[in-house]
Amino acid sequence: MERQNLEEGLQATLLESKPNGTGIDFSNTRLPSPPPSSSSVTAVLVFSTLVAVCGFFCYGFAVGYSSPAESGIMEDLGLSVAAYSVFGSIMTVGGMIGAILSGRIADILGRRVAMLFSDIFCTFGWFAIAFGKCISKMIMELMFNSTICKDVLWLDLGRLSIGFGIGLISYVASTCIYCRNNDKRSPGSIYCILSCNINYNTKNSVNRLFVECILRTSNFLSVQLMNTCGFSLVYMVGNDISWRTLALVGAIPCLLQIVTLFFIPESPRWLVKVGREKEFETTLQRLRGEISDISQEAADIRDNLETFHQGSGARFSELFQRRYANSLIIGVGLMFLQQLAGVSGMAYYAASIFEKAGVSTSLGSTIVSITAIPATVVGVLLMDKAGRRPLLLFSVAGLCICFFVMGLAFCFQEIPHMEELTPILVLVSLVGASVANSVGMSGIPWVIMSEIFPMNVKAAAGSLVTFVCWSCSWVMTYTFNFMMEWSSAGTFFIFSGVNLATVIFIAKMVPETKGRTLEEIQSTISTSFLL
């Protein structure tokens, strides 16, 4: 059961069907209306999806928090670079723990209760950051009759708790939003709960394909957009309010989700998996509408669960067989390079980069926050047209160039009459790097990972890739400030070199997976390099 949950959550990214080759113009295509007996979108369904997606807003806010809060926390608490690096990076440790336990927690508690559990951890974390000094002072006076308070301890504990919460909710919310599609044209196809049960009873496959492509795009867009909105919000308001107030702002979406969770139904898939058949059918009927015929959908859900249960008995050690070696190198390699490319450090500590370059942190953070949202939308829309591989190459090449320019800009600080170029070049290149990352490297590696592994090892591969992702993220977020103290220019030249290596890796080893079957993907992988 845990493997099934993990596999579903890790595949919570958009994988579209075969590209259209008919040459038909869809601009004037009228979508057929579903008959009364078909499943349809209901208010309960839309509301439930929006509540689940709110978890990704919390994720984005938590990732961006450490940048605008850095100067205030270090000044108010007198933290060293090492101490603040611990604070910034410890969230990834909590995320690693949360991701590892998420499948088991969701299995035992259910999706809705697991999200509630996650929100409680996140809310506690934000309150610990905001009120840690008062809490620790009260505890010390009551228990030890001392006025000495350890505000830093509560700061780190709160950040760790937030990490655990987002590590859990990023998986649980994904399994609440996404369902598996039976279309064998795309082995890892995922449909949003909004789309997987809209049945258009028409013989026009072009219309149906058009509907599916639109809905799949909207699914991935909703997740990426909510994540980016949380990140942009903390960047936009973080420089105008104190870090304690900003922590309280971060608790608002968590509290909002706690309240709204009591008004949404449990996941039908989980209900049928634990044998609560009556509740399963009642919940499914509520989600689809009273007039909808859910018999076929209910049968499909049962069949899919049974099929996956029969094919998910592979042990973790089987992942390391020679036949999976190429897929493993591609999946782990992409995650490894994604995290060590410098984007995590840039996102966590952008304010300190602007400060070193002489750029107004308020101006720089505001521009980054404004450009991030449209860049995410463009990236998702382009993925349908351009494919994964070209978009990845464009994204990583952009990161390589932008980081190289940032390295040069910091070199200019040491050259007379050229130091005036540093603020402009750093601002432009950092914004450019943020846009380039949003367009491709931010989410596409997860899409490719879910497409290149066969079903029987997908859960094990997901576990390994998730561990690599969080581990490398911790390395980057902890060491970034030390690297900047060593050499700002050298730091970004190193990141530029890592992205150049990533371009070569993608060009030589990563196949295009858009609209291809598992067999076609495996054939391409086996010929891309010999193992």
Side-chain angles (χ1 to χ4, degrees), residues 4 23 27 38 45 69 76 103-104 144 147 155 165 177 186 190 222 272 291 317 337 434 460 485 495 498 516 522-523:
Q4 176 181 350
S27 59
S38 307
L45 184 61
D76 292 350
R104 179 62 64 187
F144 304 102
T147 58
L155 206 68
I177 298 172
S186 184
I190 306 297
S222 64
V272 72
I291 63 173
S317 58
L337 293 169
S434 176
E485 282 199 331
F495 292 157
V498 172
R516 306 179 70 186
Q522 291 295 318
S523 176

Side-chain angles (χ1 to χ4, degrees), residues 259-272:
V259 174
T260 54
L261 280 172
F262 290 98
F263 298 95
I264 67 172
E266 180 55 83
S267 164
R269 183 176 291 267
W270 179 79
L271 290 173
V272 72

Side-chain angles (χ1 to χ4, degrees), residues 35-55:
S37 62
S38 307
S39 298
S40 58
V41 177
T42 63
V44 175
L45 184 61
V46 174
F47 180 70
S48 300
T49 303
L50 291 176
V51 171
V53 169
C54 185

